[in-house]
Amino acid sequence: MKRWGDLTQDTADHLTAASVLDQAEMAVVVTDRFSNVLYWNPFAEQLFGTPGSTSGRESLLSLGIMKKDHPLAVELAKHVLRGGVWEGTFDVVRGDGTMIYVRAQAVPLRHQSGSVTGIVITAREAMRSNEREKDRFGLLERIGERLAGSLYVEETLNRVAEMLVPQFADHCFIELVENDRLIRKVSTHVNGWTPPAGTWKPVGEEIKYPPGHYAETAQSRQETILVEDFSQVSFPSPSEGAARICGEVGMTSAIVAPLCARGEMLGLMYLGLSNLTDRRSPHYDAFDRDFVGAIATRVAVAVDNALLFEEERHTAESFQKHLLPRELPRLDGLEIAVRYFPAAPLASHGQGIQTQVGGDWYDVIPLSAGRVGIVIGDVEGRGAKAAAVMGQLRAALRAFAQDDKPPADILARLDEWTRVVAHPERDDFGADITNPPLVTCQYLVYDAWSRQLSFANAGHAPPLLIVDGNVAELDITEVGQPLGVRAKGVHADLVYKEETRTLPPGATLLLYTDGLVDRRPARGSEAPSLSDDEALRILSEKVAKLSGEPVERIADAATVAVPGEIDDDMAILVVRSVAMELEVEERTFPAQPIMVSEARRMASEAFSDWQVPDERADLACLLVSEVVTNVVLHAASASIPRRELVLDGPPLPFDESWEVPGFEEEIAGDKEFTLRLRRGKDSIWVEVFDQDLRLPRIRSAGENDEGGRGLYLVDQLAKRWGSRPTREGKAVWFEIPIGGR
């Protein structure tokens, strides 16, 4: 071997450093101390798929290193600039959009004085060099990392194909077993090439490999099969079209690996080489077979985890959704839209991967005389336990709501029930340490005829009120504690307060749980998390633009208004009061027998004006007579109504009688009742109000009894009936359908 100094001048001219590097089949990249690229050779341009330039302005990261590997590149620079040598693998996106794995080694670039002035990087594509054994473990580790980042079957399989094509294969098929059938899930090919129709079967089709086919052998033996050179062997083809396309693309080699996990075969992974690409070696060998088998093992575990997770998630979601209302009732004077979305899977707080279904719920409950109860709530926690607690609370609230008590009373009872459903726990000394679930809830009662909205709040976010394009939170003065956290000794009546507002015609309420505004940045996004105030501002701006649109559009817009992924499950309920006035008649009568006929006459005239069918109107008038008669008959025995006693003149002496002449007669003669009639689209409601605190009940009348059958008739002939306490006494109501029972 001659030394450089013994070469002729002509030979030395061809052995300059530049000419040698230009012909080297290895990427060489040189950077300065600030990672600005100073030089790269032609093979680096080919490897990274980036036009060459030595302007010194391009960063090392401009070579296509994926964002998730940027910290790795920073570590490389720090380590080498301190005089060390670095070696590792990068995920690189080439200029044409394809992804490759690059094995790189970096050493310091030193000045004659010995100081480090830059970095010299040599790189090659992993698995396409003569050092495959060294690359194998690093590449398998990278593949495992990418597979571990997904819990959805489709996403997992697409990641597999993305990793293997075009770096390791020209064609990738993945089929999974579904109900004893092999279904194609992935069909990915190099350079975006697509097989013509009638050749290889597309995604979603059943695949049947004939006996003797190498894929059928891999499936039956559950082992990885290598076809090193198709020109040397022949196999039966699944179809004539498949055989034809194999010849057209020039299939040269293939590997088929079974996907097995927990002793069960989940499917097949098929990799093939063809003449669609120009490779150094167009054939697989035994090393490639073993390597693909190792990849298939990891893929099978990832697919199995994804299948198990999707099954668990589907079960939890079905459980959650079946606990929510399946369909909403049709209500007069209201337009309603609802949405429920579970959050995306999330590994956090040391709890592993969570299904993200939880305890968010909504409900719409028909009440007496066309009134409606509206509920939005959120049980703390996630998973089936939170959903189970939610189901119990929703059922309890629906039962409590049928009593027609004020919203504050309903929340007080629900607070007690929240403590009942808590699993009892005791410490080592026998003391009760039971922790009730933490629940936020808001219960509203809306009367579409009067537009009165009564509500009570248990620590829940106030709804948004949308009126004429303006959006603001509903003014709530009293926000009580969440259910289950009330201090001992403090009665719930002192915690939950009722408030009343009047909604303008056409006003819209957007009720939601915190999952709507509490979002996490999207995967791969470097955007910071939004604060609650920022998220609420964005939400308000988006829905304000759609204030006049149908409630369904508002619900859809609210769902996607706040950027980012759902960090918690989310429930949305949008209700709008209609602009039109609903028909109602109301009149107050003295509680005297002669007024029964007057009340019936008023009802008859109202039903006639509303064009209620005669049969329905006659039935309603009959029941009006029965209810009013019941009120009048019991007026004489009713307790003294609640009214303030006012005496004119000086105070009475202590020994003087407090009996005021004529006072009891005045009270008795002052008793009255109010008849209210309401017409809806499908029903009419009748309400009779009086000052008697006693609620009516059906009693059994004997054969010879003259009375006692009025409420029995109401119960038999009305669609629904009931009674509820009021501030002044009670109300008895019933519903008659207009179109028939």
Side-chain angles (χ1 to χ4, degrees):
M1 178 71 182
K2 293 183 178 181
R3 299 193 313 162
W4 287 99
D6 298 332
L7 298 176
T8 64
Q9 185 63 40
D10 182 64
T11 303
D13 291 341
H14 290 284
L15 288 177
T16 61
S19 62
V20 171
L21 291 177
D22 286 350
Q23 297 181 48
E25 291 196 7
M26 175 175 286
V28 179
V29 180
V30 180
T31 75
D32 61 16
R33 291 183 58 84
F34 304 101
S35 297
N36 294 317
V37 177
L38 301 177
Y39 168 83
W40 55 42
N41 67 344
F43 193 86
E45 299 176 22
Q46 178 182 342
L47 177 64
F48 295 109
T50 305
S53 173
T54 56
S55 64
R57 297 179 181 177
E58 287 77 17
S59 167
L60 178 62
L61 301 179
S62 66
L63 297 179
I65 299 174
M66 296 184 69
K67 281 187 177 181
K68 68 183 185 65
D69 282 346
H70 285 184
L72 203 60
V74 174
E75 177 189 341
L76 176 155
K78 290 181 178 179
H79 183 74
V80 174
L81 290 175
R82 288 195 296 263
V85 176
W86 187 94
E87 185 173 356
T89 305
F90 289 106
D91 291 2
V92 173
V93 178
R94 296 162 51 89
D96 59 3
T98 58
M99 193 203 77
I100 60 173
Y101 295 98
V102 173
R103 188 72 178 176
Q105 185 182 58
V107 297
L109 176 66
R110 296 184 182 274
H111 189 263
Q112 292 179 354
S113 64
S115 62
V116 178
T117 60
I119 303 172
V120 179
I121 303 172
T122 57
R124 50 190 164 73
E125 187 175 351
M127 299 308 298
R128 289 196 183 178
S129 71
N130 293 326
E131 300 185 32
R132 295 185 297 174
E133 292 184 4
K134 181 185 293 186
D135 294 336
R136 178 176 184 178
F137 298 105
L139 188 54
L140 283 176
E141 181 181 355
R142 305 292 287 182
I143 290 175
E145 290 175 358
R146 288 182 59 81
L147 289 176
S150 172
L151 273 179
Y152 293 104
V153 174
E154 182 178 349
E155 183 178 359
T156 299
L157 298 181
N158 287 332
R159 286 191 178 188
V160 172
E162 181 185 81
M163 288 185 294
L164 298 176
V165 177
Q167 179 163 343
F168 194 71
D170 296 333
H171 311 277
C172 176
F173 300 105
I174 301 179
E175 291 106 25
L176 295 184
V177 177
E178 294 182 358
N179 299 323
D180 297 328
R181 302 165 61 211
L182 203 59
I183 306 299
R184 179 154 292 168
K185 296 296 183 179
V186 170
S187 177
T188 302
H189 309 274
V190 71
N191 298 330
W193 179 83
T194 303
T199 56
W200 287 328
K201 289 190 176 182
V203 172
E205 292 288 330
E206 180 181 3
I207 307 300
K208 294 182 179 179
Y209 293 109
H213 192 277
Y214 52 94
E216 191 274 336
T217 303
Q219 183 177 4
S220 59
R221 295 183 183 177
Q222 294 191 13
E223 65 181 42
T224 304
I225 300 298
L226 164 68
V227 180
E228 189 168 349
D229 191 347
F230 277 112
S231 65
Q232 304 297 321
V233 293
S234 62
F235 297 95
S237 178
S239 65
E240 293 183 4
R244 184 176 68 254
I245 197 63
C246 285
E248 292 179 1
V249 300
M251 292 292 294
T252 58
S253 188
I255 298 176
V256 182
L259 303 178
C260 298
R262 295 183 291 116
E264 180 182 356
M265 199 193 81
L266 305 178
L268 293 175
M269 182 174 68
Y270 180 111
L271 302 178
L273 296 176
S274 70
N275 293 331
L276 292 179
T277 57
D278 183 16
R279 299 176 184 268
R280 175 181 299 177
S281 174
H283 302 284
Y284 292 124
D285 58 18
F287 179 84
D288 297 322
R289 178 195 59 201
D290 296 340
F291 176 66
V292 171
I295 293 177
T297 300
R298 287 160 174 76
V299 171
V301 172
V303 170
D304 187 52
N305 288 338
L307 289 171
L308 291 174
F309 176 79
E310 288 193 357
E311 181 180 357
E312 176 191 354
R313 180 176 173 84
H314 176 72
T315 300
E317 286 182 12
S318 298
F319 179 46
Q320 165 86 357
K321 290 181 178 179
H322 280 78
L323 291 175
L324 294 173
R326 295 194 178 184
E327 60 181 20
L328 297 177
R330 291 198 306 173
L331 300 166
D332 291 299
L334 276 182
E335 299 173 3
I336 302 178
V338 295
R339 297 289 186 273
Y340 173 79
F341 294 95
L346 175 67
S348 64
H349 309 300
Q351 300 176 14
I353 299 297
Q354 303 174 22
T355 60
Q356 296 295 295
V357 297
D360 289 16
W361 94 93
Y362 59 84
D363 209 348
V364 179
I365 309 170
L367 301 176
S368 63
R371 295 154 63 247
V372 57
I374 302 169
V375 188
I376 191 82
D378 185 359
V379 178
E380 182 186 37
R382 294 165 179 164
K385 180 179 179 181
V389 173
M390 176 274 292
Q392 296 180 72
L393 291 177
R394 175 176 174 251
L397 192 147
R398 288 187 71 92
F400 299 155
Q402 299 308 314
D403 291 341
D404 269 328
K405 295 288 184 66
D409 293 351
I410 299 297
L411 288 188
R413 295 189 64 184
L414 197 63
D415 177 72
E416 296 292 344
W417 181 254
T418 304
R419 300 167 188 275
V420 171
V421 299
H423 182 71
E425 299 180 34
R426 295 188 179 276
D427 61 13
D428 296 338
F429 302 98
D432 185 8
I433 57 172
T434 302
N435 291 318
L438 179 64
V439 183
T440 64
C441 180
Q442 181 152 301
Y443 180 60
L444 310 91
V445 175
Y446 181 65
D447 187 333
W449 280 262
S450 65
R451 301 190 186 279
Q452 292 294 309
L453 181 72
S454 302
F455 56 88
N457 189 294
H460 200 82
L464 296 180
L465 177 62
I466 308 170
V467 181
D468 297 331
N470 298 315
V471 180
E473 290 186 336
L474 182 66
D475 179 27
I476 300 179
T477 305
E478 300 286 346
V479 178
Q481 295 293 327
L483 305 177
V485 300
R486 173 170 49 85
K488 292 185 178 180
V490 178
H491 195 270
D493 291 343
L494 303 176
V495 178
Y496 306 112
K497 304 295 183 181
E498 180 181 353
E499 300 181 55
T500 302
R501 304 285 185 272
T502 300
L503 292 186
T508 303
L509 282 175
L510 172 61
L511 296 88
Y512 61 92
T513 58
D514 55 5
L516 178 62
V517 294
D518 187 11
R519 302 293 181 98
R520 66 176 184 260
R523 284 179 293 179
S525 172
E526 298 180 356
S529 299
L530 296 173
S531 66
D532 291 344
D533 291 339
E534 291 172 333
L536 188 60
R537 177 182 56 79
I538 294 174
L539 173 63
S540 300
E541 291 175 354
K542 294 292 180 64
V543 298
K545 297 177 181 178
L546 300 174
S547 61
E549 298 292 330
V551 291
E552 293 289 343
R553 285 203 59 189
I554 294 178
D556 290 335
T559 301
V560 298
V562 181
E565 294 185 357
I566 302 174
D567 193 47
D568 194 1
D569 57 333
M570 173 180 69
I572 300 176
L573 196 155
V574 183
V575 295
R576 171 179 292 164
S577 64
V578 298
M580 61 178 292
E581 297 292 335
L582 302 182
E583 295 176 303
V584 59
E585 293 287 345
E586 182 175 329
R587 181 179 168 188
T588 300
F589 301 89
Q592 300 173 2
I594 196 174
M595 292 295 104
V596 175
S597 60
E598 290 297 322
R600 181 174 180 132
R601 182 179 298 107
M602 169 193 163
S604 179
E605 292 174 355
F607 298 151
S608 178
D609 293 340
W610 294 342
Q611 297 181 350
V612 177
D614 292 343
E615 180 184 357
R616 301 285 95 191
D618 291 344
L619 175 59
C621 288
L622 171 63
L623 299 187
V624 166
S625 298
E626 294 296 336
V627 174
V628 171
T629 299
N630 189 73
V631 168
V632 171
L633 289 178
H634 291 85
S637 60
S639 59
I640 297 177
R642 292 168 289 189
R643 57 182 293 178
E644 183 180 1
L645 175 61
V646 179
L647 297 177
D648 295 331
L652 295 176
F654 178 76
D655 56 352
E656 189 171 341
S657 173
W658 278 87
E659 294 183 1
V660 180
F663 178 71
E664 292 190 5
E665 289 78 1
E666 177 188 353
I667 295 297
D670 198 32
K671 291 180 180 179
E672 56 190 18
F673 67 89
T674 299
L675 176 63
R676 178 189 294 165
L677 310 174
R678 293 178 167 184
R679 189 192 194 285
K681 181 179 179 181
D682 300 317
S683 298
I684 53 176
W685 286 272
V686 175
E687 293 177 284
V688 180
F689 300 84
D690 68 353
Q691 293 81 35
D692 190 354
L693 299 177
R694 297 171 298 177
L695 298 179
R697 60 182 179 85
I698 300 176
R699 62 185 181 88
S700 300
E703 294 183 1
N704 299 322
D705 291 346
E706 295 183 1
R709 298 178 177 84
L711 289 182
Y712 177 79
L713 286 176
V714 175
D715 181 66
Q716 293 296 310
L717 299 178
K719 180 180 180 180
R720 293 191 306 154
W721 80 279
S723 60
R724 69 175 188 273
T726 64
R727 293 180 180 178
E728 294 77 19
K730 70 173 183 297
V732 181
W733 61 274
F734 62 84
E735 176 186 354
I736 297 292
I738 294 177
R741 184 163 186 172

